[in-house]
Amino acid sequence: MNFAVIGLQWGDEGKGKIIDILSVEADVIVRYQGGNNAGHTVVKDSVRYAFHLIPSGVLHEDKVCVMGNGMVIDPLALLHELDELRSQGLDVSPRQLKISENAHIIFPYHRKLDGFRERLRSNRIGTTGRGIGPCYMDKYARSGIRVGDLLNPKLFISKLKDNIIEKNGIYRQVFGYDGFSEEEIAREYLGYAEKITPFVCDTVSLLHELWREGRSILFEGAQGTMLDVDFGTYPFVTSSNASVSGIFSGTGLPPKALDKVIGVCKAYTTRVGEGPFPTELFDDLGNRLRDKGGEFGTTTGRPRRCGWFDAVLVRYAVRLNGVDEIVITKLDVLDELDEIKVCVGYRLGDEVLKTYPFDIEVFSNVEPIYETFKGWKTDTTALRDISDLPREARDYIDAISDLVGAKISMVSVGSDREEIIRI
Ligand code: GDP
Ligand code: IMO
Ligand code: MG
């Protein structure tokens, strides 16, 4: 059986932990979009692993991990991540990790443009500054350079030359930037090529072979549905299809290769960067959620904005992705609260909205309509069976399940692999 694990909010739902757990049931774990804007944390035996590019299933050494063609890869970040994992005792081998020759490469001029554009915009997005958007811009402008190009120095240099001429001309005119040296970048990147080559292959053919052999494939989503470039809170989104729709273009497998969709959502909501967030808490409660939930970005260390669970958004994400079951994470973060609110609709003047409005102007001006639940005031982190959960906690997760229209398959009550309740 092949299944996808997708974030249903604005990212950081705890996908990494859930992918690590579900990897036991898979033979292959494949990332299909995004780059090192992602930060997926897995805690195993109290050791914390942070994944940015490498699939979160890599802790299971017998699995094949694939970085699909839909990804954008910064080779420096990749080598750094491999080094970090090595220093934690995990030597990721080319047998274990396969990188698509068709994935696009992030260059210094992408990272630079990410910063320039943010500074010039009147409405900042609050990107991770990793060059993700500019790299996808080049992909769709057909001037991108792909991993496979790195293996052919002559072709690589001619493509790089075209890019440098264009970038230097534009950056000088628009941003007053002195320019990039083609020689320096070529030397740097051809150096990376040597180290990365053993991992590179035709992942489309590989995935098709594995699928035909009946191996189980787990599609690892990065970011979340509300950051999807088509279906999220545009323009405050990332530059790829983080929702289920990115899987097919990002791996080369067809829709019928996907049997099940598992959506991951936090028991409350967080967001990093700018953009509307109706249930955001600006008071002490928001700070309490941030502190208790450790809500600081895995990638940039930025404090995450925190707020109540928004059932309107998650219901939209459940429908959009065709979610079969949901996993609720970080229930333990709510353990000490007297009462907990859930947004069940939006008010806009005299109007009540029950569905997510695509118009960002409307979405920026809605007021949440809340239903209030009684807190359980019990430490849930040691609980492993649903029947052990306090009545109020069960009422809360049952209400979420009803409101978003999906059954719950797991509830996470701590960051460690073991801290999970299976239903
Ligand atoms: P991802 O990007 O969706 O993989 O999520 P992140 O790893 O960026 O953020 C989730 C954070 O919450 C990480 O630090 C996890 O270790 C942690 N986490 C995951 N599940 C739970 C949980 O159930 N309870 C608590 N307290 N922390 C959790
Ligand atoms: P994971 O996989 C949370 C946010 C950024 C910014 C917007 C655009 O860990 O859930 P980008 O650098 O992608 O152009 O930034 O998207 N963002 C994330 N927020 N989790 C992520 O990934 C994110 N990846 C990007 O903060 O608001
Ligand atoms: Mg994250």
Side-chain angles (χ1 to χ4, degrees):
M1 203 213 22
N2 303 333
F3 53 103
V5 177
I6 310 274
L8 300 180
Q9 294 158 320
W10 278 294
D12 301 327
E13 295 89 349
K15 299 176 292 295
K17 168 179 169 164
I18 301 308
I19 289 158
D20 171 59
I21 290 175
L22 292 172
S23 292
V24 174
E25 298 166 28
D27 303 302
V28 184
I29 298 97
V30 51
R31 272 242 352 233
Y32 57 89
Q33 45 70 237
N36 59 323
N37 47 349
H40 299 174
T41 317
V42 177
V43 183
K44 180 189 162 197
D45 302 329
S46 303
V47 182
R48 193 173 171 278
Y49 300 87
F51 301 109
H52 300 284
L53 286 162
I54 298 172
S56 309
V58 78
L59 294 182
H60 303 264
E61 287 174 33
D62 55 333
K63 314 290 177 188
V64 177
C65 288
V66 178
M67 291 167 52
N69 60 277
M71 288 187 73
V72 288
I73 298 173
D74 185 331
L76 182 61
L78 175 66
L79 294 172
H80 183 70
E81 193 168 330
L82 287 167
D83 282 347
E84 280 286 299
L85 289 175
R86 200 170 297 122
S87 74
Q88 291 184 292
L90 195 78
D91 205 353
V92 180
S93 70
R95 183 191 51 77
Q96 209 184 348
L97 180 68
K98 310 287 181 189
I99 301 174
S100 169
E101 57 194 3
N102 285 351
H104 280 251
I105 302 175
I106 295 182
F107 284 89
Y109 48 77
H110 293 132
R111 292 192 295 261
K112 202 80 195 167
L113 183 59
D114 205 352
F116 283 150
R117 298 193 89 224
E118 280 286 272
R119 250 168 274 148
L120 279 189
R121 290 176 72 101
S122 46
N123 269 320
R124 285 181 56 229
I125 296 171
T127 72
T128 58
R130 299 296 189 263
I132 306 296
C135 185
Y136 279 114
M137 282 162 66
D138 278 351
K139 169 175 174 171
Y140 288 102
R142 294 155 294 168
S143 50
I145 303 180
R146 306 198 283 186
V147 172
D149 298 328
L150 267 185
L151 315 188
N152 180 345
K154 219 169 132 205
L155 181 69
F156 172 74
I157 287 171
S158 97
K159 290 190 175 185
L160 183 64
K161 192 184 261 141
D162 283 353
N163 270 284
I164 298 282
I165 290 171
E166 183 194 72
K167 275 24 168 192
N168 279 354
I170 296 175
Y171 291 16
R172 207 167 282 139
Q173 286 281 329
V174 181
F175 308 111
Y177 184 73
D178 265 356
F180 297 94
S181 149
E182 180 200 315
E183 289 74 27
E184 253 174 52
I185 296 183
R187 203 174 323 115
E188 182 187 342
Y189 275 68
L190 290 173
Y192 300 146
E194 244 174 78
K195 296 185 176 147
I196 288 172
T197 305
F199 298 95
V200 179
C201 72
D202 168 3
T203 54
V204 178
S205 299
L206 173 73
L207 287 168
H208 273 267
E209 263 167 48
L210 293 166
W211 180 39
R212 204 174 43 231
E213 285 170 11
R215 305 294 187 90
S216 172
I217 301 169
L218 189 169
F219 299 98
E220 168 169 349
Q223 289 79 53
T225 304
M226 300 317 296
L227 288 172
D228 184 287
V229 67
D230 282 280
F231 304 110
T233 46
Y234 191 92
F236 304 98
V237 292
T238 191
S239 297
S240 64
N241 285 118
S243 68
V244 85
S245 60
I247 290 177
F248 315 108
S249 60
T251 64
L253 284 169
K256 65 179 168 197
L258 178 61
D259 303 302
K260 185 158 124 183
V261 180
I262 298 168
V264 184
C265 55
K266 270 181 201 173
Y268 50 99
T269 312
T270 62
R271 169 161 214 176
V272 207
E274 307 301 319
F277 178 178
T279 61
E280 182 167 12
L281 288 165
F282 297 97
D283 56 7
D284 189 47
L285 210 48
N287 295 333
R288 273 176 73 186
L289 290 178
R290 185 175 308 109
D291 290 343
K292 177 105 200 275
E295 297 295 358
F296 297 89
T298 313
T299 300
T300 56
R302 288 179 291 177
R304 296 175 181 153
R305 299 155 66 192
C306 297
W308 295 122
F309 188 84
D310 189 334
V312 181
L313 286 190
V314 176
R315 182 166 61 232
Y316 162 73
V318 162
R319 253 195 355 205
L320 189 83
N321 291 298
V323 167
D324 295 292
E325 51 193 55
I326 57 168
V327 176
I328 298 180
T329 61
K330 306 192 90 158
L331 188 74
D332 56 296
V333 175
L334 307 180
D335 279 352
E336 285 151 23
L337 302 183
D338 295 324
E339 52 180 41
I340 299 157
K341 292 185 182 174
V342 170
C343 170
V344 295
Y346 302 131
R347 203 180 303 284
L348 183 75
D350 297 336
E351 232 184 308
V352 171
L353 309 179
K354 288 287 186 188
T355 54
Y356 167 65
F358 267 110
D359 186 333
I360 195 83
E361 280 305 305
V362 171
F363 188 60
S364 304
N365 288 301
V366 297
E367 290 286 331
I369 300 170
Y370 286 121
E371 213 168 278
T372 303
F373 293 82
K374 203 162 171 273
W376 42 95
K377 313 273 283 175
T378 310
D379 182 353
T380 57
T381 52
L383 306 182
R384 298 290 173 268
D385 195 295
I386 187 75
S387 59
D388 294 335
L389 272 184
R391 174 83 263 148
E392 293 84 356
R394 261 192 290 167
D395 287 348
Y396 182 66
I397 61 168
D398 286 347
I400 287 181
S401 170
D402 285 348
L403 285 164
V404 307
K407 65 173 190 220
I408 299 168
S409 60
M410 285 192 266
V411 178
S412 176
V413 289
S415 55
D416 205 274
R417 230 187 214 184
E418 309 300 325
E419 290 171 322
I420 195 87
I421 296 172
R422 292 165 193 272
I423 299 178

